[in-house]
Amino acid sequence: MSQLTLAEQLVLLAELANLDAKARTVADKLETVPGAAKKADEAVAALKKQLEDAEAKKEAGEKARRTVEGELSDERAKIRKWESRANELRGEREHAALVSEISATKRAMHRLEDTQLEHMEAIEAAQKLGGELKGKHDKAAAHAAEEWKKVEADVAALKAEHDGYKASRKVLLEKLPAPLTKRYEQIAAKRAGVGVGLIKGEMCSACKRMLPPQMCMQIRKGVILEACPSCQRLLVHEAMTAAATPPTTG
Ligand SMILES: [Zn+2]
């Protein structure tokens, strides 16, 4: 598919490795530059979670309060019914039994009212906490927005730079034979993102080991494709890239 000589392929491969190194640096900066802003975002998220918890607690309290309210109103209705019946009852014993039933129900209602109070206190506490958290959350959100604003321009520039590398990379990948690219990427994935070792002198600059002089010469001539015997990275001679890369003055 590719009409390129091996030497030309190696030069392009070196360019690809160079691009990937630059892209990696930019990606690292994209992580670190907005560090304070990201941390501020985390603080906002933590407060939001606490705020949601307080709101959930308040809702649960209100639900429980409504349930008890329903029970109380049922009991009240029962008592009203019994009291009117008690007035109509003539039998002494039936009357006494009903009165005792009524007072037992009233005691139960007192317990329900105590529970009701507890729910109301819990609701109030959750509401107060929610209010405090809302204040803290809004302040933290404003702080995070400020932090992002500080780095906004830098982050945008870094993203543009990264996109530029991606575009250049695509152009290179279209030129290079796919099996070579695949091999490069497999090596890079295993070697901290660095898939090419430049030969400087007679040394692999990636792992700093000396290479056989004969091998260096053949690679420089572009007659063989070899991997470094020590680090397994694909070898490209620096003299080839220096000759191929046009000077970037201007
Ligand atoms: Zn090496």
Side-chain angles (χ1 to χ4, degrees), residues 1 16 26 45 70 106 148 154 157 166-167 170 180 227:
M1 187 186 98
L16 181 64
V26 171
K106 279 186 175 166
W148 276 110
D154 289 345
K166 251 188 0 207
K170 209 173 152 227
L180 180 62

Side-chain angles (χ1 to χ4, degrees), residues 16-44:
L16 181 64
N18 192 28
L19 268 182
D20 285 350
K22 284 180 183 165
R24 215 164 41 243
T25 307
V26 171
D28 288 348
K29 279 190 196 159
L30 271 172
E31 281 296 310
T32 54
V33 166
K38 282 184 182 172
K39 216 170 208 150
D41 276 352
E42 280 167 23
V44 174

Side-chain angles (χ1 to χ4, degrees), residues 48-225:
K48 187 160 179 264
K49 173 88 179 52
Q50 289 175 36
L51 187 55
E52 282 165 359
D53 287 350
E55 272 163 10
K57 219 173 222 172
K58 188 178 153 234
E59 270 169 35
E62 276 165 352
K63 198 176 162 206
R65 196 190 62 80
R66 280 195 299 274
T67 304
V68 176
E69 186 62 56
E71 289 171 24
L72 274 170
S73 112
D74 288 350
E75 300 292 282
R76 259 183 233 117
K78 237 190 267 174
I79 287 177
R80 269 198 304 277
K81 207 167 72 189
W82 288 343
E83 278 175 343
S84 69
R85 200 195 300 167
N87 290 336
E88 292 157 12
L89 278 177
R90 293 289 166 254
E92 197 65 36
R93 278 174 62 177
E94 286 123 315
H95 190 271
L98 200 49
V99 167
S100 127
E101 190 87 21
I102 288 171
S103 48
T105 305
K106 279 186 175 166
R107 281 198 296 279
M109 281 180 71
H110 285 316
R111 286 197 291 277
L112 282 173
E113 279 159 1
D114 287 345
T115 310
Q116 190 74 315
L117 267 181
E118 280 164 25
H119 287 320
M120 278 152 95
E121 277 164 15
I123 292 165
E124 210 171 299
Q127 201 159 9
K128 187 163 170 268
L129 180 64
E132 285 166 11
L133 286 168
K134 178 88 173 63
K136 280 186 193 169
H137 170 273
D138 291 353
K139 218 170 141 186
H143 173 64
E146 259 172 49
E147 288 294 329
W148 276 110
K149 208 165 182 67
K150 276 189 218 163
V151 292
E152 199 174 42
D154 289 345
V155 167
L158 286 167
K159 273 187 185 152
E161 199 182 343
H162 202 260
D163 288 348
Y165 293 141
K166 251 188 0 207
S168 309
R169 190 177 205 275
K170 209 173 152 227
V171 173
L172 279 179
L173 289 187
E174 276 161 14
K175 291 186 197 164
L176 280 165
L180 180 62
T181 311
K182 196 178 166 200
R183 195 168 159 201
Y184 160 78
E185 278 172 347
Q186 280 170 347
I187 296 167
K190 280 186 219 154
R191 306 267 154 187
V194 183
V196 162
L198 270 191
I199 304 174
K200 293 185 177 178
E202 283 172 356
M203 188 180 75
C204 165
S205 64
C207 70
K208 313 289 181 208
R209 300 284 174 81
M210 296 309 288
L211 299 161
Q214 182 68 16
M215 187 202 256
C216 293
M217 211 179 338
Q218 283 180 303
I219 290 170
R220 184 174 184 164
K221 282 185 190 158
V223 292
I224 55 166
L225 172 67

